[in-house]
């Protein structure tokens, strides 16, 4: 790594560049949760990722993985609970209630596995 410095009085201050945010990158729920967790609980990792200009890459990857993981868990739980389109057509309120429960469960699992790890 090549670090350059600016002379300010008697001190040399490193030139640290913070990466520009790409507007095409996803900034969602899990992105923000992971960012807050890193800032509050994993300050060393947060600082290291910032200095290497890898923070945004890390957060985008967490967002992508978490979204895929939630979807995968929901599909698996739907099969196990026998939640089908037929149930949706017969009893919409029950289907919505069951799907909300599955989504909450999937999010709790994902948050523990990816966000707070």
């Amino acid at each position: 790594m090549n670090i350059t410095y600016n002379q300010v009085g008697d001190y040399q201050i490193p030139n640290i560049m913070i990466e520009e945010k790409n507007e095409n990158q996803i900034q969602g729920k899990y992105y923000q949760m992971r960012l807050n967790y890193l800032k509050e609980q994993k300050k060393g990792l947060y600082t290291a990722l910032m200095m290497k200009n890898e923070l945004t890459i890390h957060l985008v990857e967490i967002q992508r993985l978490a979204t895929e993981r939630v979807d995968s868990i929901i599909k698996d739980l739907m099969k196990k609970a026998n939640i089908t389109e037929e149930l949706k057509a017969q009893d919409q309120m029950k289907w919505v209630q069951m799907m909300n429960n599955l989504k909450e469960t999937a999010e709790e699992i994902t948050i523990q596995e990816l966000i707070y790890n």
Side-chain angles (χ1 to χ4, degrees), residues 16-60:
I16 299 175
M17 303 294 289
I18 297 177
E19 63 193 71
E20 295 289 324
K21 289 187 178 180
N22 185 348
E23 297 302 319
N24 295 330
Q25 293 175 334
I26 304 167
Q27 293 186 12
K29 175 181 180 177
Y30 306 111
Y31 179 106
Q32 290 298 321
M33 290 173 76
R34 180 67 174 177
L35 177 61
N36 291 336
Y37 175 71
L38 291 174
K39 283 182 179 179
E40 295 170 10
Q41 303 295 324
K42 300 285 186 174
K43 293 176 184 174
L45 177 58
Y46 173 75
T47 302
L49 289 170
M50 284 278 292
M51 292 183 75
K52 293 179 189 175
N53 283 336
E54 295 177 357
L55 180 62
T56 303
I57 294 166
H58 173 76
L59 295 173
V60 167

Side-chain angles (χ1 to χ4, degrees), residues 9 11 19 22 26 29 32 34 36-37 41 45-46 48 79 83 87 90 94 99-100 102-103 105 108 112:
Y11 302 99
E19 63 193 71
N22 185 348
I26 304 167
K29 175 181 180 177
Q32 290 298 321
R34 180 67 174 177
N36 291 336
Y37 175 71
Q41 303 295 324
L45 177 58
Y46 173 75
K79 288 177 186 174
I83 300 173
L87 176 62
Q90 293 171 357
K94 182 177 180 181
M99 288 301 294
N100 285 340
L102 294 184
K103 184 177 181 191
T105 301
E108 286 179 27
Q112 289 303 314

Side-chain angles (χ1 to χ4, degrees), residues 93-105:
M93 291 303 289
K94 182 177 180 181
W95 183 87
V96 168
Q97 182 183 34
M98 293 176 81
M99 288 301 294
N100 285 340
N101 287 338
L102 294 184
K103 184 177 181 191
E104 282 296 318
T105 301

Side-chain angles (χ1 to χ4, degrees), residues 51-98:
M51 292 183 75
K52 293 179 189 175
N53 283 336
E54 295 177 357
L55 180 62
T56 303
I57 294 166
H58 173 76
L59 295 173
V60 167
E61 183 66 10
I62 290 291
Q63 175 68 34
R64 185 187 65 77
L65 289 172
T67 303
E68 288 175 3
R69 183 77 173 123
V70 167
D71 292 343
S72 173
I73 292 171
I74 288 174
K75 287 178 185 174
D76 291 344
L77 292 175
M78 283 177 67
K79 288 177 186 174
K80 289 179 183 175
N82 199 26
I83 300 173
T84 62
E85 291 298 317
E86 292 173 8
L87 176 62
K88 183 178 180 181
Q90 293 171 357
D91 191 353
Q92 287 182 350
M93 291 303 289
K94 182 177 180 181
W95 183 87
V96 168
Q97 182 183 34
M98 293 176 81

